[in-house]
């Protein structure tokens, strides 16, 4: 690699490194020729899967590709930080320096579009066509992997973002039942009753801001309904609407009913605290299911779940997948083997069992998955499906960042008017 290039890479990586923990990152290794390599002996992948369940699930994929490509050495360059903000920042530095990994984790639709607009991800349409992948996916899922009719990513699983995990013993001690049909008002009444029983009602771990951004988005969609939530991103419904104000007030109340150290703990610590009885509920995507199983918690006994209460059954879709770089790919053949492995229905089921997600492909056997996952699969087929804002799926990565920043500011200030004004302004300028 040229010395100048190497210098640029190490500077960019050093800039990002202060913010994160990089596990086994090979960012300073040569990236191959500028046109990209075709090697099959090595594969470097990045993701933000570093919690116990996430790492186990990722290993299913790594073992899977090793099986199809004997002798392949896989460099797992995962960057810690739930929701992936740190991983994306590290990736951006590498992309800018022209030293990408062979493949990286990302969300489809909005976040994908930002990488496509930046000319950073390779067009995978031929691979999709050769394998007839579109016929093996629900229409919406296949569409989310496209930008302007071309495929740029491959889906490994479908998560649900708006799940309220509950501790049955804590709820029963407070004599409280959480009815998903009772809406946000019913939820808040129940949480106040838990508080009166002497237990902290809510466990939150927003050291990584996505956790509270996801809590607020769950409240927003419950208040606005699925159709208006979607319209927020086509500029047909305003961040200034009365339901939005109500959602912010609810969110403020729920924050006040949460553990005081929420900004110091991570999402996985928060859900485990809930299962250990420190509080009654925790809102988190269903990667929490995988994490609680990984922590040897028993579903139905140590924890249970309801869809975040609202006026209709909404499934907040958070998709996981992988793309490969448009330029400078170090090991193109190995990357192709990786993407093909991800679409293997057996691998998708095995991955889902550890991760808490449901397979993306419809030819995967889900009968061996948990009761929770069976319910999630049914709901994905019949509920109103919307995409997550906190995870940059419903709209661009840039707007999702604006939202995350506004949530962060709000968590400190509690200023509802300021939040609404800044998001209304961003909606007008960024979502034209
Ligand atoms: C991903 C999940 C992951 C979660 C927490 C989400 O963005 O979709 O796969 O487990 O972040 O890290």
């Amino acid at each position: 690699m040229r010395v100048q290039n190497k210098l640029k890479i190490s500077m960019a990586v050093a800039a990002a490194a202060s913010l994160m923990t990089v596990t086994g990152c090979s960012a300073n290794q040569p990236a191959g020729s500028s046109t990209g390599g075709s090697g099959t002996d090595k594969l470097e992948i990045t993701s933000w899967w570093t919690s116990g369940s996430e790492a186990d699930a990722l290993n299913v994929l790594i073992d899977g590709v090793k099986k199809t490509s004997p002798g392949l050495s896989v460099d797992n360059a995962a960057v810690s930080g739930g929701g992936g903000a740190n991983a994306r920042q590290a990736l951006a530095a590498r992309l800018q320096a022209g030293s990408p990994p062979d493949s990286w984790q990302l969300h489809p639709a909005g976040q994908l579009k930002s990488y496509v607009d930046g000319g950073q991800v390779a067009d995978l349409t031929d691979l999709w066509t050769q394998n007839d992948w579109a016929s093996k996916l629900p229409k919406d899922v296949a569409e989310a992997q496209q930008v302007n009719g071309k495929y740029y990513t491959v889906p490994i699983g479908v998560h649900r973002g708006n799940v309220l995990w509950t501790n049955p013993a804590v709820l029963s001690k407070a004599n409280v039942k959480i009815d998903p049909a009772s809406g946000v008002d019913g939820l808040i009444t129940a949480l106040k009753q838990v508080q009166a029983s002497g237990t902290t009602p809510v466990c939150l771990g927003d050291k990584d801001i996505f956790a509270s951004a996801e809590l607020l988005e769950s409240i927003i969609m419950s208040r606005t309904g699925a159709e208006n939530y979607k319209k927020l991103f086509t500029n047909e419904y305003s961040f200034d609407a009365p339901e939005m104000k109500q959602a912010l007030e609810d969110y403020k109340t729920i924050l006040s009913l949460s553990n005081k150290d929420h900004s110091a703990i991570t999402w996985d610590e928060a859900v485990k605290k809930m299962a250990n009885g420190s509080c009654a509920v925790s809102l988190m995507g269903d990667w929490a299911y995988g994490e609680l199983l990984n922590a040897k918690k028993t579903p139905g006994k140590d924890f249970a779940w309801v869809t975040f209460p609202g006026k209709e059954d909404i499934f907040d879709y958070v998709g996981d997948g992988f793309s490969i770089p448009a330029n400078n790919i170090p090991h193109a053949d190995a990357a192709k083997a990786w993407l093909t492995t991800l679409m293997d229905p057996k691998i998708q089921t095995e991955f889902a069992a550890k991760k808490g997600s449901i397979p993306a492909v419809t030819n995967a056997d889900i009968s061996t998955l948990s009761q929770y996952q069976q319910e999630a699969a049914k709901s994905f087929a019949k509920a109103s499906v919307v995409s997550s804002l906190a995870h940059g799926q419903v709209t661009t990565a840039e707007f999702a960042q604006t939202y995350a920043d506004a949530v962060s500011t709000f968590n400190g200030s509690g200023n509802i008017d300021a939040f609404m004004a800044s998001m209304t302004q961003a909606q007008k300028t960024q979502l034209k």
Side-chain angles (χ1 to χ4, degrees), residues 111-124:
Q111 195 176 89
L112 172 66
K113 185 173 184 303
S114 297
Y115 287 116
V116 173
D117 290 348
Q120 292 160 316
V121 281
D123 180 354
L124 302 174

Side-chain angles (χ1 to χ4, degrees), residues 67-388:
K67 227 179 245 170
T68 62
S69 312
L72 180 71
S73 134
V74 181
D75 187 355
N76 171 5
V79 176
S80 69
N86 297 344
R88 285 189 294 275
Q89 189 164 358
L91 174 68
R94 294 187 59 179
L95 289 173
Q96 202 182 353
S99 175
D102 292 302
S103 183
W104 65 83
Q105 179 196 355
L106 75 167
H107 296 299
Q111 195 176 89
L112 172 66
K113 185 173 184 303
S114 297
Y115 287 116
V116 173
D117 290 348
Q120 292 160 316
V121 281
D123 180 354
L124 302 174
T125 310
D126 287 348
L127 195 64
W128 274 75
T129 313
Q130 281 155 24
N131 291 288
D132 195 19
W133 282 336
S135 73
K136 292 167 186 125
L137 291 162
K139 197 167 161 273
D140 291 2
V141 176
E143 272 170 17
Q145 320 304 317
Q146 295 173 20
V147 175
N148 298 330
K150 290 184 178 165
Y151 290 97
Y152 291 92
T153 188
V154 161
I156 179 63
V158 170
H159 274 301
R160 182 178 205 161
N162 57 335
V163 187
L164 192 68
W165 304 95
T166 63
N167 183 307
V170 172
L171 289 179
S172 113
K173 183 181 150 234
N175 202 14
V176 168
K177 269 216 162 93
I178 293 178
D179 175 5
S182 70
V184 186
D185 292 332
L187 173 64
I188 290 176
T189 305
L191 295 178
K192 288 188 171 157
Q193 207 172 318
V194 172
Q195 189 178 42
S197 79
T199 309
T200 303
V202 181
C203 280
L204 174 65
D206 62 357
K207 189 170 178 188
D208 297 297
I209 198 66
F210 90 91
S212 45
E214 194 176 303
L215 170 60
L216 176 57
E217 102 180 9
S218 299
I219 301 172
I220 291 174
M221 59 185 74
S222 287
R223 283 294 182 192
T224 62
E227 283 319 304
N228 282 338
Y229 170 81
K230 286 187 208 162
K231 287 182 183 162
L232 281 169
F233 310 102
T234 52
N235 236 326
E236 297 163 282
Y237 183 79
S238 176
F239 269 86
D240 207 15
E243 291 80 3
M244 293 297 298
K245 184 159 197 173
Q246 182 61 55
L248 264 301
E249 275 162 13
D250 300 332
Y251 175 62
K252 200 168 174 174
T253 305
I254 292 178
L255 274 187
S256 75
L257 296 168
S258 304
N259 49 307
K260 299 286 165 267
D261 64 348
H262 59 87
S263 63
I265 68 170
T266 56
W267 69 269
D268 46 316
E269 288 169 336
V271 292
K272 281 181 256 187
K273 262 164 100 78
M274 178 281 300
N276 287 336
S278 297
C279 65
V281 305
S282 190
L283 175 284
M284 189 39 61
D286 54 15
W287 41 93
Y289 187 85
E291 195 61 21
L292 290 170
L293 285 197
N294 188 271
K296 306 274 178 283
K297 300 295 175 196
T298 309
K301 183 174 153 279
D302 298 320
F303 70 96
W305 54 88
V306 288
T307 302
F308 194 83
K311 46 188 175 195
E312 60 184 312
D313 187 18
I314 300 180
F315 189 110
D316 185 14
Y317 170 23
V318 183
D320 282 320
F322 283 83
S323 293
I324 65 173
N327 303 305
N328 295 341
I329 185 162
H331 309 99
D333 293 344
K336 207 165 140 191
W338 166 249
L339 297 180
T340 310
T341 300
L342 300 181
M343 289 298 281
D344 177 335
K346 282 208 184 77
I347 294 279
Q348 291 219 351
T349 302
E350 224 187 299
F351 172 83
K354 307 249 182 241
K355 193 68 176 61
S357 50
I358 52 173
V361 292
T362 47
N363 56 343
D365 177 11
I366 61 162
S367 65
T368 53
L369 296 178
S370 67
Q371 183 199 336
Y372 168 74
Q373 286 158 305
Q374 310 277 340
E375 287 173 16
K378 276 198 197 113
S379 185
F380 189 55
K382 72 174 205 321
S384 306
V385 177
V386 302
S387 290
S388 170

